[in-house]
């Protein structure tokens, strides 16, 4: 896997978008990205989507 500077932020945005669209559950987000995804969802007013169901 190719890793570049800022790649984690981009992946967090990607997963936050998928959670928002209902394509991925928050519980399916990789554990290393969960804090950033949760922050993005909270900043968007969608913190209720960041649940471990």
């Amino acid at each position: 896997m190719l890793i570049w500077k800022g790649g984690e932020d981009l992946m967090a945005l990607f997963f936050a978008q998928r959670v928002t669209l209902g394509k991925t559950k928050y519980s399916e987000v990789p554990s290393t990205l969960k804090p950033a995804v949760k922050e993005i969802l909270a900043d968007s007013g969608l913190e209720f989507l960041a649940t471990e169901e």
Side-chain angles (χ1 to χ4, degrees), residues 2 21-22 27 31 40 45 53:
L2 180 63
L21 294 173
S27 61
S31 60
I40 292 166
E53 293 180 5

Side-chain angles (χ1 to χ4, degrees), residues 8-43:
E8 294 85 10
D9 292 338
L10 186 60
M11 289 304 296
L13 283 169
F14 170 75
F15 276 104
Q17 183 66 31
R18 289 189 58 84
V19 170
T20 301
L21 294 173
K23 302 220 178 236
T24 301
K25 295 178 184 176
Y26 180 74
S27 61
E28 298 171 335
V29 173
S31 60
T32 56
L33 296 174
K34 281 186 178 182
V37 170
K38 189 171 189 173
E39 182 179 351
I40 292 166
L41 291 171
D43 289 347

